[in-house]
């Protein structure tokens, strides 16, 4: 099982609401969710967020939001590693045992499905 986790907090300081700000006609996060869907390599696409509006948009786009991230992992000092560790612990606690977990940022509108497929191929080959 391969799972894509998109970490999207609501409290950006430099560009407020950047994860759901309109970009070429759709919310920024939609580009990442759609690329992950088109890649057809993930069993689940999970958005880790602390924000109900982001959660609603992510679900509308077809991603899962099985938990709301705790406030302690949504401040200016929380790292991507902390957030990914939390998501992996949640999966483990819920009997989800992925072989691969991919972190895909919500502000990556230029990512393409082929990039994700190639990244998995390289990682799987061990030649990185």
């Amino acid at each position: 099982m391969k799972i894509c986790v998109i970490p999207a907090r609501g409290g950006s300081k430099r560009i407020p609401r950047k994860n759901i700000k309109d970009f070429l006609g759709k919310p920024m996060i939609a580009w990442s969710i759609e690329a992950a869907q088109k890649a057809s390599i993930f069993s689940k696409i999970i958005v880790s967020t602390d924000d109900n509006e982001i959660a609603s948009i992510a679900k509308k786009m077809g991603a899962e939001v099985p938990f709301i991230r705790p406030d302690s992992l949504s401040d200016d000092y929380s790292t991507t590693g902390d957030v990914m560790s939390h998501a992996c612990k949640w999966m483990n606690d819920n009997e989800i045992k992925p072989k691969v977990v991919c972190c895909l940022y919500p502000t990556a509108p230029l990512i393409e499905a082929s990039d994700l497929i190639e990244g998995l191929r390289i990682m799987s080959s061990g030649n990185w």
Side-chain angles (χ1 to χ4, degrees):
M1 176 183 295
K2 298 168 196 72
I3 296 188
C4 179
V5 176
I6 301 174
R9 85 176 175 124
S12 175
K13 300 283 190 274
R14 287 175 283 180
I15 303 174
R17 312 299 294 158
K18 71 180 176 195
N19 293 320
I20 55 173
K21 208 171 247 326
D22 184 271
F23 185 78
L24 297 176
K26 52 183 131 176
M28 181 67 78
I29 196 171
W31 296 93
S32 295
I33 293 170
E34 288 176 353
Q37 291 168 332
K38 287 177 186 170
S40 298
I41 57 175
F42 300 111
S43 302
K44 294 179 178 292
I45 300 165
I46 294 175
V47 173
S48 170
T49 188
D50 61 323
D51 186 276
N52 289 328
E53 187 177 11
I54 292 172
S56 177
I57 290 169
K59 289 177 187 175
K60 193 175 188 180
M61 296 300 307
E64 297 179 35
V65 186
F67 56 85
I68 294 296
R69 187 188 324 161
D71 290 342
S72 62
L73 293 175
S74 298
D75 61 22
D76 292 341
Y77 304 102
S78 300
T79 66
T80 301
D82 295 335
V83 172
M84 293 301 292
S85 179
H86 173 264
C88 289
K89 181 180 181 330
W90 181 89
M91 285 184 254
N92 190 56
D93 291 349
N94 287 275
E95 304 299 321
I96 299 168
K97 309 289 185 193
K99 290 189 178 215
V100 173
V101 177
C102 169
C103 176
L104 177 58
Y105 287 112
T107 53
L110 301 180
I111 194 84
E112 303 227 0
S114 59
D115 299 322
L116 297 169
I117 294 165
E118 179 65 4
L120 176 63
R121 186 195 67 72
I122 291 168
M123 189 183 76
S124 298
S125 75
N127 293 325
W128 44 282

